[in-house]
Amino acid sequence: MRKIEAIIRKTRFEDVKEALLAADIEWFSYYDVRGEGKMRQARIYRGVMYDTSCIERVLLNIVVRDKNVEKTITAVEQAAHTGEIGDGRIFVIPVEDAI
C-alpha cells in the first residue's frame, strides 16, 4: 500500500475530486492548508497591495493499493495541471501496515 499526499490549488479541487471518483478512488481526506513558496511578490488588486508569499492550497491524503498508485497519480496530475508555477506537489509514501 502507498499513501499519496497531493498539495493542489484550491481552484482545482473540484476537478481533482471528480477525476479521482472517475478513476474509482472512492475515499480520500482533504484539508485546507497554507504554505510558503519560492515566489515572493506583491500583487495589486483594486489599488490594494497583497503579499502573495502565503499560499492557500488543499492537501489530499489518499491511501491506495499498489496496483492503483499510477492511476491515482495520473488522475491528480491531469486534473490539477494548469501549466503555471504553483500547481502543487505529489508525494508517494510507503505504508507498512493499516489497522
Side-chain angles (χ1 to χ4, degrees), residues 24-40:
D24 294 326
I25 307 303
E26 298 173 350
W27 192 90
F28 57 90
S29 58
Y30 58 93
Y31 312 91
D32 288 332
V33 295
R34 293 178 185 213
E36 295 283 330
K38 282 185 181 179
M39 288 219 28
R40 299 192 185 278

PDB file of all heavy atoms in Angstrom, residues 24-40:
ATOM      1  N   ASP A  24     -12.120   5.486  -9.899  1.00  0.00           N
ATOM      2  CA  ASP A  24     -12.554   4.515  -8.884  1.00  0.00           C
ATOM      3  C   ASP A  24     -11.795   4.629  -7.569  1.00  0.00           C
ATOM      4  O   ASP A  24     -11.651   3.651  -6.845  1.00  0.00           O
ATOM      5  CB  ASP A  24     -12.474   3.079  -9.415  1.00  0.00           C
ATOM      6  CG  ASP A  24     -13.462   2.839 -10.544  1.00  0.00           C
ATOM      7  OD1 ASP A  24     -14.560   3.431 -10.493  1.00  0.00           O
ATOM      8  OD2 ASP A  24     -13.141   2.058 -11.459  1.00  0.00           O
ATOM      9  N   ILE A  25     -11.312   5.811  -7.246  1.00  0.00           N
ATOM     10  CA  ILE A  25     -10.728   6.086  -5.931  1.00  0.00           C
ATOM     11  C   ILE A  25     -11.856   6.710  -5.121  1.00  0.00           C
ATOM     12  O   ILE A  25     -12.215   7.859  -5.311  1.00  0.00           O
ATOM     13  CB  ILE A  25      -9.516   7.035  -6.031  1.00  0.00           C
ATOM     14  CG1 ILE A  25      -8.486   6.505  -7.034  1.00  0.00           C
ATOM     15  CG2 ILE A  25      -8.919   7.268  -4.655  1.00  0.00           C
ATOM     16  CD1 ILE A  25      -7.977   5.108  -6.742  1.00  0.00           C
ATOM     17  N   GLU A  26     -12.433   5.916  -4.245  1.00  0.00           N
ATOM     18  CA  GLU A  26     -13.685   6.303  -3.607  1.00  0.00           C
ATOM     19  C   GLU A  26     -13.524   6.971  -2.249  1.00  0.00           C
ATOM     20  O   GLU A  26     -14.485   7.490  -1.700  1.00  0.00           O
ATOM     21  CB  GLU A  26     -14.579   5.072  -3.472  1.00  0.00           C
ATOM     22  CG  GLU A  26     -14.946   4.493  -4.816  1.00  0.00           C
ATOM     23  CD  GLU A  26     -15.681   3.182  -4.704  1.00  0.00           C
ATOM     24  OE1 GLU A  26     -15.744   2.610  -3.597  1.00  0.00           O
ATOM     25  OE2 GLU A  26     -16.190   2.718  -5.726  1.00  0.00           O
ATOM     26  N   TRP A  27     -12.329   6.920  -1.675  1.00  0.00           N
ATOM     27  CA  TRP A  27     -12.164   7.541  -0.366  1.00  0.00           C
ATOM     28  C   TRP A  27     -10.837   8.262  -0.286  1.00  0.00           C
ATOM     29  O   TRP A  27      -9.800   7.737  -0.663  1.00  0.00           O
ATOM     30  CB  TRP A  27     -12.237   6.509   0.751  1.00  0.00           C
ATOM     31  CG  TRP A  27     -12.359   7.167   2.081  1.00  0.00           C
ATOM     32  CD1 TRP A  27     -13.522   7.502   2.708  1.00  0.00           C
ATOM     33  CD2 TRP A  27     -11.312   7.623   2.928  1.00  0.00           C
ATOM     34  NE1 TRP A  27     -13.257   8.139   3.907  1.00  0.00           N
ATOM     35  CE2 TRP A  27     -11.887   8.217   4.057  1.00  0.00           C
ATOM     36  CE3 TRP A  27      -9.935   7.593   2.847  1.00  0.00           C
ATOM     37  CZ2 TRP A  27     -11.149   8.775   5.093  1.00  0.00           C
ATOM     38  CZ3 TRP A  27      -9.192   8.153   3.878  1.00  0.00           C
ATOM     39  CH2 TRP A  27      -9.809   8.725   4.983  1.00  0.00           C
ATOM     40  N   PHE A  28     -10.893   9.488   0.201  1.00  0.00           N
ATOM     41  CA  PHE A  28      -9.689  10.267   0.479  1.00  0.00           C
ATOM     42  C   PHE A  28     -10.074  11.361   1.457  1.00  0.00           C
ATOM     43  O   PHE A  28     -11.240  11.689   1.617  1.00  0.00           O
ATOM     44  CB  PHE A  28      -9.081  10.865  -0.803  1.00  0.00           C
ATOM     45  CG  PHE A  28     -10.021  11.725  -1.589  1.00  0.00           C
ATOM     46  CD1 PHE A  28     -10.106  13.087  -1.350  1.00  0.00           C
ATOM     47  CD2 PHE A  28     -10.826  11.180  -2.575  1.00  0.00           C
ATOM     48  CE1 PHE A  28     -10.973  13.887  -2.077  1.00  0.00           C
ATOM     49  CE2 PHE A  28     -11.691  11.958  -3.308  1.00  0.00           C
ATOM     50  CZ  PHE A  28     -11.770  13.323  -3.059  1.00  0.00           C
ATOM     51  N   SER A  29      -9.092  11.901   2.124  1.00  0.00           N
ATOM     52  CA  SER A  29      -9.355  13.020   3.028  1.00  0.00           C
ATOM     53  C   SER A  29      -8.653  14.243   2.476  1.00  0.00           C
ATOM     54  O   SER A  29      -7.697  14.140   1.708  1.00  0.00           O
ATOM     55  CB  SER A  29      -8.881  12.704   4.448  1.00  0.00           C
ATOM     56  OG  SER A  29      -7.511  12.392   4.462  1.00  0.00           O
ATOM     57  N   TYR A  30      -9.142  15.414   2.876  1.00  0.00           N
ATOM     58  CA  TYR A  30      -8.530  16.646   2.393  1.00  0.00           C
ATOM     59  C   TYR A  30      -8.621  17.723   3.462  1.00  0.00           C
ATOM     60  O   TYR A  30      -9.499  17.695   4.321  1.00  0.00           O
ATOM     61  CB  TYR A  30      -9.167  17.123   1.088  1.00  0.00           C
ATOM     62  CG  TYR A  30     -10.643  17.372   1.163  1.00  0.00           C
ATOM     63  CD1 TYR A  30     -11.137  18.633   1.446  1.00  0.00           C
ATOM     64  CD2 TYR A  30     -11.562  16.345   0.946  1.00  0.00           C
ATOM     65  CE1 TYR A  30     -12.502  18.871   1.517  1.00  0.00           C
ATOM     66  CE2 TYR A  30     -12.925  16.570   1.015  1.00  0.00           C
ATOM     67  CZ  TYR A  30     -13.384  17.835   1.299  1.00  0.00           C
ATOM     68  OH  TYR A  30     -14.733  18.060   1.378  1.00  0.00           O
ATOM     69  N   TYR A  31      -7.674  18.644   3.391  1.00  0.00           N
ATOM     70  CA  TYR A  31      -7.566  19.707   4.385  1.00  0.00           C
ATOM     71  C   TYR A  31      -7.185  21.001   3.681  1.00  0.00           C
ATOM     72  O   TYR A  31      -6.423  20.979   2.709  1.00  0.00           O
ATOM     73  CB  TYR A  31      -6.454  19.391   5.410  1.00  0.00           C
ATOM     74  CG  TYR A  31      -6.526  17.997   5.963  1.00  0.00           C
ATOM     75  CD1 TYR A  31      -5.835  16.946   5.361  1.00  0.00           C
ATOM     76  CD2 TYR A  31      -7.290  17.721   7.088  1.00  0.00           C
ATOM     77  CE1 TYR A  31      -5.905  15.663   5.862  1.00  0.00           C
ATOM     78  CE2 TYR A  31      -7.368  16.435   7.601  1.00  0.00           C
ATOM     79  CZ  TYR A  31      -6.666  15.407   6.983  1.00  0.00           C
ATOM     80  OH  TYR A  31      -6.746  14.137   7.477  1.00  0.00           O
ATOM     81  N   ASP A  32      -7.663  22.104   4.177  1.00  0.00           N
ATOM     82  CA  ASP A  32      -7.186  23.412   3.730  1.00  0.00           C
ATOM     83  C   ASP A  32      -5.866  23.673   4.438  1.00  0.00           C
ATOM     84  O   ASP A  32      -5.779  23.541   5.662  1.00  0.00           O
ATOM     85  CB  ASP A  32      -8.183  24.514   4.074  1.00  0.00           C
ATOM     86  CG  ASP A  32      -9.431  24.453   3.215  1.00  0.00           C
ATOM     87  OD1 ASP A  32      -9.336  23.967   2.072  1.00  0.00           O
ATOM     88  OD2 ASP A  32     -10.495  24.892   3.676  1.00  0.00           O
ATOM     89  N   VAL A  33      -4.840  24.014   3.672  1.00  0.00           N
ATOM     90  CA  VAL A  33      -3.517  24.266   4.240  1.00  0.00           C
ATOM     91  C   VAL A  33      -2.962  25.564   3.682  1.00  0.00           C
ATOM     92  O   VAL A  33      -3.437  26.088   2.667  1.00  0.00           O
ATOM     93  CB  VAL A  33      -2.528  23.107   3.953  1.00  0.00           C
ATOM     94  CG1 VAL A  33      -2.974  21.838   4.640  1.00  0.00           C
ATOM     95  CG2 VAL A  33      -2.354  22.883   2.459  1.00  0.00           C
ATOM     96  N   ARG A  34      -1.950  26.079   4.342  1.00  0.00           N
ATOM     97  CA  ARG A  34      -1.228  27.261   3.881  1.00  0.00           C
ATOM     98  C   ARG A  34       0.245  26.938   3.902  1.00  0.00           C
ATOM     99  O   ARG A  34       0.703  26.144   4.709  1.00  0.00           O
ATOM    100  CB  ARG A  34      -1.487  28.453   4.788  1.00  0.00           C
ATOM    101  CG  ARG A  34      -2.894  28.937   4.727  1.00  0.00           C
ATOM    102  CD  ARG A  34      -3.086  30.070   5.672  1.00  0.00           C
ATOM    103  NE  ARG A  34      -4.493  30.434   5.665  1.00  0.00           N
ATOM    104  CZ  ARG A  34      -4.912  31.650   5.838  1.00  0.00           C
ATOM    105  NH1 ARG A  34      -4.067  32.622   6.046  1.00  0.00           N
ATOM    106  NH2 ARG A  34      -6.204  31.918   5.816  1.00  0.00           N
ATOM    107  N   GLY A  35       0.986  27.574   3.013  1.00  0.00           N
ATOM    108  CA  GLY A  35       2.419  27.327   2.967  1.00  0.00           C
ATOM    109  C   GLY A  35       3.167  28.511   2.401  1.00  0.00           C
ATOM    110  O   GLY A  35       2.572  29.484   1.937  1.00  0.00           O
ATOM    111  N   GLU A  36       4.458  28.402   2.440  1.00  0.00           N
ATOM    112  CA  GLU A  36       5.354  29.415   1.886  1.00  0.00           C
ATOM    113  C   GLU A  36       6.023  28.822   0.661  1.00  0.00           C
ATOM    114  O   GLU A  36       6.549  27.718   0.719  1.00  0.00           O
ATOM    115  CB  GLU A  36       6.425  29.813   2.909  1.00  0.00           C
ATOM    116  CG  GLU A  36       5.872  30.490   4.133  1.00  0.00           C
ATOM    117  CD  GLU A  36       5.495  31.941   3.885  1.00  0.00           C
ATOM    118  OE1 GLU A  36       6.122  32.588   3.029  1.00  0.00           O
ATOM    119  OE2 GLU A  36       4.556  32.414   4.533  1.00  0.00           O
ATOM    120  N   GLY A  37       6.030  29.555  -0.428  1.00  0.00           N
ATOM    121  CA  GLY A  37       6.664  29.090  -1.647  1.00  0.00           C
ATOM    122  C   GLY A  37       7.848  29.954  -2.030  1.00  0.00           C
ATOM    123  O   GLY A  37       8.180  30.931  -1.359  1.00  0.00           O
ATOM    124  N   LYS A  38       8.495  29.577  -3.127  1.00  0.00           N
ATOM    125  CA  LYS A  38       9.643  30.332  -3.621  1.00  0.00           C
ATOM    126  C   LYS A  38       9.236  31.693  -4.160  1.00  0.00           C
ATOM    127  O   LYS A  38       9.970  32.651  -4.048  1.00  0.00           O
ATOM    128  CB  LYS A  38      10.343  29.563  -4.744  1.00  0.00           C
ATOM    129  CG  LYS A  38      11.221  28.457  -4.268  1.00  0.00           C
ATOM    130  CD  LYS A  38      11.949  27.862  -5.455  1.00  0.00           C
ATOM    131  CE  LYS A  38      12.833  26.725  -5.037  1.00  0.00           C
ATOM    132  NZ  LYS A  38      13.521  26.133  -6.167  1.00  0.00           N
ATOM    133  N   MET A  39       8.083  31.745  -4.813  1.00  0.00           N
ATOM    134  CA  MET A  39       7.654  33.007  -5.418  1.00  0.00           C
ATOM    135  C   MET A  39       7.210  33.976  -4.342  1.00  0.00           C
ATOM    136  O   MET A  39       6.247  33.743  -3.630  1.00  0.00           O
ATOM    137  CB  MET A  39       6.503  32.777  -6.398  1.00  0.00           C
ATOM    138  CG  MET A  39       6.985  32.100  -7.619  1.00  0.00           C
ATOM    139  SD  MET A  39       6.335  32.570  -9.194  1.00  0.00           S
ATOM    140  CE  MET A  39       5.820  34.174  -9.222  1.00  0.00           C
ATOM    141  N   ARG A  40       7.931  35.028  -4.225  1.00  0.00           N
ATOM    142  CA  ARG A  40       7.589  36.072  -3.267  1.00  0.00           C
ATOM    143  C   ARG A  40       7.397  37.355  -4.046  1.00  0.00           C
ATOM    144  O   ARG A  40       8.342  37.918  -4.571  1.00  0.00           O
ATOM    145  CB  ARG A  40       8.688  36.236  -2.233  1.00  0.00           C
ATOM    146  CG  ARG A  40       8.914  34.997  -1.430  1.00  0.00           C
ATOM    147  CD  ARG A  40       9.805  35.314  -0.241  1.00  0.00           C
ATOM    148  NE  ARG A  40      10.138  34.110   0.479  1.00  0.00           N
ATOM    149  CZ  ARG A  40       9.359  33.534   1.364  1.00  0.00           C
ATOM    150  NH1 ARG A  40       8.194  34.040   1.637  1.00  0.00           N
ATOM    151  NH2 ARG A  40       9.732  32.444   1.987  1.00  0.00           N
TER     152      ARG A  40
END
